[in-house]
Amino acid sequence: MTREMETVDPQERFLEFFKKEKYRQKISQMAITGKESITVDFEELFAFDQRLAERLLEKPDEFMQHADNAAYAQLGIEDSEYAEKIEKVTVRIVELLGKEQLRKLGSKQMGKLVMIEGIVVRATPVRPMVMQASFKCKRCGTITRVDQAGSFLRAPFECNDPSCRQKGPFEFVQEESTFIDSQDLRLQERPEDLPPGQLPRTLNVKLVGSEIVDLARPGDHVSIVGMVRAVAPSRPGIGKLRTFILHLETNSLEVLGKEPETTLSSPEEEEKILELAKDPWVHRKIISSIAPSIYGYEHIKEAIMYLLFGGVSKSLPDITIRGEMNALLIGDPGTAKSQLLQYVARIAPRGLYTSGRGTTAAGLTAAVIREKGGSMSLEAGALVLADKGIACIDEMDKMRPEDRVAIHEAMEQHTVSVAKGGIVATLNARTAILAAANPALGRYEPHRTVAENISLPVTILSRFDLIFVLRDVPNKEADEKMTEHILEIHRKGAPPVEAPIGSELMRKYVSYAKTIKPVLSHDALKRLGDFYLAMRSASEAEGSPVAITARQLESLVRIAEARARVALKKEVSAEDAEAAITIMKRSLEEVGIDLSSYKMDIDIIMTGKPKSMRDRMQIIISVLMEMEKVTGIVEKAALLSELDSKHKIPRSETERMIGQLLREGTIYEPREGYLKKT
Ligand SMILES: Nc1ncnc2c1ncn2[C@@H]1O[C@H](COP(=O)(O)OP(=O)(O)OP(=O)(O)O)[C@@H](O)[C@H]1O
Ligand SMILES: [Mg+2]
Ligand SMILES: [Zn+2]
């Protein structure tokens, strides 16, 4: 620093700045709100004195001190009484001109003031930190005060009493020490800032002062202005390491809006979006733009479209109903489930791809983590980090037992509650879920029900709006088409058919559409209501326990709303309702429509078997037992014809059920072609 630079006292300059009407007012009102800090917009300081602002960024330790002192001096003028009471004013700088990228932080930024945006993944509880410690001399009882800095408690060098001057022992006196609230956070790069295919980086952040602790919870998106500090970790008995670890010492913290940014960079883009929405084939266009390299699966891509756009959340005075949808893909290995999920995570505003095991210690929901020093902190899992976005959970059947418990709440209430290790918190998880799982037996067994096919409890299954089964069954015609499709991709290195809507535009389209909150038209309402009541009454007549529950009705509404959103419509039409019913039927069919009676039986998801199938199995078993009484063991062929002629159960179906009964171990095959009840 050269001499000329020092001609103007920086503190004087800051004082001039605080004499601006706006800050005088702010400062004079501090007593009313009981605040001990004032917020300064960096841009204003920059406009006032560019050099001063720049030097504040370069040498924050020195210049923040000047700023604080100046603000305090001004407080002395405005309100001397309050100034005496609080002893110090902290200046908090917000909105630097540019933000620093978390992953680019390095030695260049050490000691500088920077602004960083990120998502809070971990937070300790608020803890008191000693600012001035009082020590009592054990010899004479005199109190010696020591101002504290650094991470360890420092004892006095010697007793303050001139006649004692002993170098200890001392006793820490808590009541006479002063404390300040502190908290540690861990900040992670936001999913939207992440370069494709990179793992997110994290940064530790220290907060000191009751005005900035406890503002942000795990899952919150924040903007932090702070000093970049570096500390050398020490190894006991060896010394300090030469490589330092960076952290941020917070000057100001702002919690950012939760909605993913809708950055429509140009009016042309909006033009394009509105143009697209007018297209009567917009739904088809969007479906064929979803993962164009994946062959087939039209209905699944349609479901993904609904999931991307989502329904409308309703906040009533007493309850809230989620608008976000959940969909599950159960499928044989190699059926492109992971590919679909990864595609969605890329395309969705705030999309996140994770495996059921989770990529962090917090897994899918949240966890209380014991840090190295022994302190506890709360870490957000995937569903919390994807708040207001879409979480794509691959291999969901392999999730951790803790998540299995917590995910119920996350999927329906959209919160994650934690009460462990002294930490009690409820975090938001307003997340749409697209999950994939493999069948429990390796391959999907069509005779078995969804519940039997997947190792997930029915209570979780029933929280999915849509469930689809992806089966890998050889089929000459389909195989030929798909082979051609896949080979074409490999030849060209591009999808055989180009997506009508590119992924960049698609993401913007989704963000744009999400601002629309369509309401059900009278026609749509009637259509959905009729369908639901028809399903309900059908099951009533049959005495079947539950055919379809209120959950499915809510799902139908969500799907219909999402479909209206796709076309940027403010009203849900009868056509939207119809489409919702069609895809819901398809999903119900895949998981267990009762084909023989053509009645839905949601019971299958709950108990694992459709009612008519249970009835028929019962018949097969009783006929088998009747026949056993005569012949001991029963010839399979005889059983088939008996059931066919007397009970009108087709041979093919009996075969299937026998197969299942054999696997279940209800019956067994003592000899090839013969059966017996166990
Ligand atoms: N319908 C399809 N169209 C194009 N490619 C496909 C299709 N089905 C499978 N593939 C290809 O097969 C490969 C395997 O897909 P993927 O890894 O997504 O399977 P998966 O369903 O996740 O399997 P697993 O259950 O074993 O995890 C991918 O390279 C994918 O592109
Ligand atoms: Mg996979
Ligand atoms: Zn002493």
Side-chain angles (χ1 to χ4, degrees):
M1 207 178 292
T2 53
R3 271 254 154 256
E4 314 80 87
M5 282 180 178
E6 301 301 339
T7 48
V8 191
D9 180 2
Q11 193 168 320
E12 285 300 317
R13 272 311 268 166
F14 275 117
L15 193 57
E16 270 174 62
F17 178 73
F18 289 126
K19 287 199 189 296
K20 290 173 102 182
E21 188 51 36
K22 175 179 168 187
Y23 289 103
R24 282 191 52 194
Q25 221 171 51
K26 270 194 181 182
I27 289 171
S28 64
Q29 282 165 0
M30 281 172 69
I32 302 167
T33 46
K35 281 178 76 172
E36 299 187 10
S37 66
I38 61 161
T39 306
V40 170
D41 208 318
F42 183 79
E43 212 169 321
E44 268 175 57
L45 184 67
F46 191 81
F48 171 76
D49 186 337
Q50 187 174 337
R51 271 215 51 75
L52 187 69
E54 282 167 357
R55 291 169 78 195
L56 178 71
L57 297 184
E58 283 299 307
K59 295 187 168 291
D61 283 322
E62 185 185 336
F63 281 76
M64 285 309 300
Q65 193 62 50
H66 291 314
D68 290 356
N69 291 346
Y72 187 68
Q74 187 59 30
L75 179 65
I77 297 166
E78 302 287 341
D79 186 345
S80 59
E81 205 178 307
Y82 189 58
E84 242 165 76
K85 207 175 133 206
I86 66 172
E87 290 176 356
K88 179 179 165 29
V89 171
T90 306
V91 174
R92 301 200 188 281
I93 309 283
V94 294
E95 298 289 338
L96 299 194
L97 299 181
K99 60 183 176 195
E100 201 69 53
Q101 295 244 297
L102 202 159
R103 63 174 50 234
K104 301 242 171 79
L105 276 194
S107 49
K108 219 175 112 222
Q109 286 83 13
M110 268 165 63
K112 307 274 162 65
L113 192 72
V114 297
M115 178 166 82
I116 286 184
E117 283 179 8
I119 178 165
V120 176
V121 287
R122 219 183 247 204
T124 63
V126 175
R127 296 177 295 205
M129 184 171 83
V130 189
M131 295 304 284
Q132 193 188 56
S134 297
F135 289 91
K136 193 181 197 169
C137 174
K138 285 208 170 168
R139 300 281 166 98
C140 70
T142 303
I143 295 273
T144 307
R145 294 179 209 283
V146 185
D147 288 333
Q148 300 289 320
S151 18
F152 298 96
L153 185 64
R154 242 167 3 111
F157 175 67
E158 57 179 23
C159 178
N160 236 1
D161 189 80
S163 58
C164 172
R165 292 282 178 220
Q166 284 289 333
K167 294 200 163 50
F170 298 103
E171 187 187 1
F172 178 66
V173 191
Q174 192 189 2
E175 306 83 72
E176 303 214 4
S177 301
T178 54
F179 289 85
I180 191 161
D181 285 334
S182 77
Q183 186 180 29
D184 291 343
L185 304 180
R186 184 169 295 171
L187 204 64
Q188 190 177 76
E189 285 176 284
R190 302 214 268 175
E192 49 261 53
D193 297 339
L194 205 60
Q198 297 275 344
L199 283 176
R201 305 232 176 127
T202 59
L203 176 71
N204 286 336
V205 174
K206 289 196 184 307
L207 305 176
V208 176
S210 56
E211 283 165 350
I212 52 172
V213 298
D214 231 3
L215 278 184
R217 288 181 302 167
D220 281 347
H221 291 237
V222 295
S223 172
I224 295 179
V225 172
M227 268 82 82
V228 180
R229 299 269 187 236
V231 195
S234 48
R235 288 277 165 81
I238 302 173
K240 297 209 168 194
L241 296 182
R242 244 183 88 201
T243 44
F244 285 54
I245 293 176
L246 293 180
H247 72 262
L248 202 62
E249 196 176 291
T250 306
N251 173 252
S252 77
L253 181 150
E254 284 183 299
V255 177
L256 301 173
K258 291 294 258 174
E259 306 292 339
E261 295 152 40
T262 323
T263 37
L264 279 184
S265 32
S266 62
E268 293 94 73
E269 249 162 11
E270 186 167 2
E271 188 74 24
K272 253 196 229 164
I273 287 172
L274 295 176
E275 192 62 38
L276 249 176
K278 273 194 234 130
D279 190 331
W281 296 103
V282 59
H283 296 97
R284 292 249 46 90
K285 270 196 171 166
I286 289 186
I287 293 169
S288 51
S289 300
I290 293 175
S293 302
I294 305 292
Y295 176 79
Y297 299 137
E298 293 295 306
H299 61 298
I300 291 173
K301 291 181 181 179
E302 185 182 342
I304 287 175
M305 171 176 76
Y306 298 140
L307 194 99
L308 277 170
F309 287 82
V312 182
S313 311
K314 280 116 195 159
S315 290
L316 312 178
D318 46 347
I319 54 167
T320 51
I321 303 169
R322 67 182 162 97
E324 295 80 6
M325 285 171 46
N326 302 319
L328 172 66
L329 311 177
I330 309 172
D332 293 341
T335 45
K337 297 183 298 299
S338 300
Q339 296 280 21
L340 280 168
L341 261 60
Q342 271 170 342
Y343 175 83
V344 173
R346 268 203 308 275
I347 192 102
R350 198 168 293 168
L352 190 145
Y353 175 90
T354 180
S355 110
R357 292 191 198 89
T359 38
T360 62
L364 295 180
T365 53
V368 173
I369 311 273
R370 187 179 287 277
E371 308 254 15
K372 266 190 243 108
S375 63
M376 298 293 203
S377 67
L378 177 61
E379 184 168 306
L383 292 181
V384 176
L385 296 183
D387 186 32
K388 293 267 178 181
I390 297 185
C392 299
I393 309 174
D394 210 348
E395 328 245 332
M396 191 181 191
D397 45 333
K398 295 171 191 77
M399 71 182 147
R400 307 176 311 161
E402 304 93 285
D403 282 335
R404 261 177 204 255
V405 178
I407 205 159
H408 288 92
E409 181 195 346
M411 288 183 76
E412 203 64 75
Q413 268 69 50
H414 275 179
T415 52
V416 171
S417 300
V418 181
K420 209 176 139 195
I423 294 178
V424 180
T426 297
L427 306 174
N428 282 321
R430 292 156 294 184
T431 314
I433 297 177
L434 177 62
N438 283 119
L441 302 162
R443 287 208 157 243
Y444 198 87
E445 298 265 353
H447 327 301
R448 298 196 167 211
T449 61
V450 170
E452 289 171 310
N453 262 301
I454 184 174
S455 47
L456 278 178
V458 288
T459 45
I460 291 180
L461 284 181
S462 67
R463 281 167 164 77
F464 283 100
D465 298 86
L466 295 169
I467 301 178
F468 293 105
V469 177
L470 291 83
R471 295 189 53 214
D472 186 15
V473 274
N475 170 314
K476 190 162 175 291
E477 201 186 329
D479 282 352
E480 276 170 6
K481 283 215 189 96
M482 177 143 131
T483 311
E484 195 187 317
H485 180 100
I486 292 181
L487 291 178
E488 186 66 11
I489 291 175
H490 282 265
R491 193 177 69 79
K492 286 208 304 187
V497 276
E498 206 175 323
I501 305 167
S503 51
E504 192 59 30
L505 181 60
M506 180 85 114
R507 189 178 305 116
K508 292 193 167 142
Y509 192 100
V510 173
S511 297
Y512 190 88
K514 282 200 151 195
T515 56
I516 294 168
K517 295 192 162 46
V519 290
L520 288 172
S521 68
H522 195 75
D523 289 347
L525 204 77
K526 183 158 177 354
R527 191 65 200 91
L528 295 180
D530 286 352
F531 171 76
Y532 179 66
L533 290 176
M535 286 298 139
R536 289 292 282 193
S537 63
S539 60
E540 202 174 274
E542 286 289 305
S544 142
V546 199
I548 180 170
T549 71
R551 276 226 170 92
Q552 276 76 43
L553 182 59
E554 286 183 356
S555 299
L556 283 168
V557 173
R558 276 192 279 275
I559 299 168
E561 286 168 347
R563 192 174 184 281
R565 257 188 183 168
V566 175
L568 308 182
K569 284 189 301 183
K570 294 200 170 59
E571 204 179 54
V572 180
S573 64
E575 195 191 323
D576 295 326
E578 207 57 59
I581 290 171
T582 309
I583 196 155
M584 169 67 77
K585 269 187 177 164
R586 167 94 197 232
S587 167
L588 288 171
E589 226 168 69
E590 292 206 353
V591 302
I593 183 179
D594 199 335
L595 281 172
S596 46
S597 61
Y598 287 97
K599 281 194 202 83
M600 311 283 182
D601 192 349
I602 206 69
D603 216 29
I604 198 169
I605 306 180
M606 303 300 185
T607 64
K609 281 177 198 143
K611 188 171 179 315
S612 71
M613 187 163 156
R614 284 197 309 270
D615 295 348
R616 284 190 170 179
M617 283 201 170
Q618 211 46 59
I619 297 174
I620 293 176
I621 291 165
S622 50
V623 170
L624 177 72
M625 284 162 70
E626 279 305 313
M627 288 167 78
E628 268 179 29
K629 279 185 199 151
V630 188
T631 55
I633 59 170
V634 179
E635 204 180 344
K636 192 170 160 190
L639 181 67
L640 288 176
S641 63
E642 175 83 4
L643 283 162
D644 190 12
S645 58
K646 296 237 177 77
H647 297 275
K648 298 277 171 287
I649 301 179
R651 283 162 186 271
S652 59
E653 207 176 329
T654 310
E655 289 260 26
R656 260 200 344 217
M657 287 195 230
I658 287 176
Q660 168 139 11
L661 289 169
L662 280 170
R663 273 190 302 272
E664 279 176 8
T666 314
I667 61 176
Y668 69 104
E669 213 169 358
R671 248 198 290 152
E672 176 82 53
Y674 288 87
L675 300 167
K676 194 166 168 37
K677 169 106 177 48
T678 27

